[in-house]
Amino acid sequence: MSRLELDRSDSWLTREELDAARERLPMLYVDAVPVRVDERGAVTAVGLLLRASDGAINRELVSGRVLYHERVRDAVIRHLEKDLGRMCLPQMPASPQPFTVAEYFPTPGVTAYHDPRQHAVALAFVVPVAGDCQPQQDALDLAWLTPEEATDPALLREMDGGHGALLRQAMAHLGHAV
């Protein structure tokens, strides 16, 4: 086990410690929009997860917390592999740049982003994936949509917690009409 892996194992908070921190501090997250690209780099498909949470089934983006002493790029890759499988083969650029910063609040309506558990700041990335992707963990399904399907207003409204707004921003960032 490497030194970094040893350090990371101590970075997990107990449920009580995490709840206490969430009451006092904004938490750092990453959001990722997995995409398939053609040989020219144009987006051909957008991957959306299907998850059940709080009695509802919603489409979501890949999302998760950045751990203490973890690089942001490593957090993005870890969450992509956790949700899409280790063979998803994310293609992170040498110098990853988020397309936006999303600020989630526990109070609905402060921003377009809502997380009832906490105040969180998420760096949002569009990440091409080149490998075999299968839903993992608590994801029920993974759907690959065309850019046009991904910008359907009805689909965007069905996404919970502001993920629809985030997907809309990602598609605009990629040059697609929204």
Side-chain angles (χ1 to χ4, degrees), residues 151-174:
T151 56
D152 180 337
L155 172 86
L156 295 173
R157 281 191 303 273
E158 290 175 7
M159 297 179 77
D160 198 29
H163 279 200
L166 197 58
L167 179 56
R168 187 170 184 264
Q169 284 185 319
M171 299 312 294
H173 175 75
L174 294 168

Side-chain angles (χ1 to χ4, degrees), residues 94-169:
S95 179
Q97 298 293 315
F99 68 87
T100 195
V101 176
E103 193 168 11
Y104 293 83
F105 281 90
T107 306
V110 176
T111 67
Y113 311 104
H114 175 248
D115 185 337
R117 304 168 301 167
Q118 65 196 338
H119 176 189
V121 176
L123 305 175
F125 299 87
V126 174
V127 183
V129 292
D132 180 40
C133 298
Q134 299 296 323
Q136 305 289 310
Q137 301 285 333
D138 61 347
L140 304 173
D141 188 33
L142 170 64
W144 289 101
L145 307 176
T146 66
E148 293 75 27
E149 292 169 329
T151 56
D152 180 337
L155 172 86
L156 295 173
R157 281 191 303 273
E158 290 175 7
M159 297 179 77
D160 198 29
H163 279 200
L166 197 58
L167 179 56
R168 187 170 184 264
Q169 284 185 319

Side-chain angles (χ1 to χ4, degrees), residues 17-58:
E17 291 169 331
L18 182 59
D19 289 342
R22 282 178 166 156
E23 290 176 3
R24 293 174 179 82
L25 303 167
M27 303 298 284
L28 180 60
Y29 275 68
V30 292
D31 288 326
V33 180
V35 296
R36 298 279 193 197
V37 296
D38 65 16
E39 63 280 350
R40 296 174 298 124
V43 173
T44 59
V46 178
L48 296 179
L49 297 167
L50 185 67
R51 284 204 169 108
S53 62
D54 298 327
I57 296 178
N58 296 308

